[in-house]
Amino acid sequence: VLTSPSDTNSTLAYGNTILYDSMEPWTFSSVHFLDEKSEGKWKFHLKDRGEGNSGVLKSIELKLRGY
């Protein structure tokens, strides 16, 4: 879940939507933040719900596009 400085939440992937061994590189996008200001603290929440092997988040980058 990505949360904007205005506390708008966007779930970028649900449940077992992603079943790949490697997601490098992978891009998610959302339109939930339209018309919001980008300045401020953004939060990213990741939950590994898989059984058995756990995943590893190596890095994350937030790119904001708009005007």
Side-chain angles (χ1 to χ4, degrees):
V1 175
L2 182 62
T3 305
S4 73
S6 301
D7 284 330
T8 301
N9 292 314
S10 180
T11 301
L12 303 176
Y14 291 95
N16 292 330
T17 302
I18 301 158
L19 301 172
Y20 303 100
D21 290 334
S22 175
M23 293 177 58
E24 297 178 39
W26 196 267
T27 301
F28 296 97
S29 62
S30 177
V31 296
H32 285 83
F33 310 113
L34 291 175
D35 296 326
E36 289 191 34
K37 294 184 178 184
S38 61
E39 52 277 322
K41 183 178 179 180
W42 287 78
K43 301 174 210 168
F44 178 72
H45 178 111
L46 175 68
K47 185 179 276 188
D48 186 350
R49 295 182 178 181
E51 295 180 20
N53 295 335
S54 294
V56 175
L57 178 64
K58 294 180 182 177
S59 67
I60 186 170
E61 178 181 15
L62 177 63
K63 290 184 180 181
L64 302 171
R65 295 191 175 133
Y67 57 92

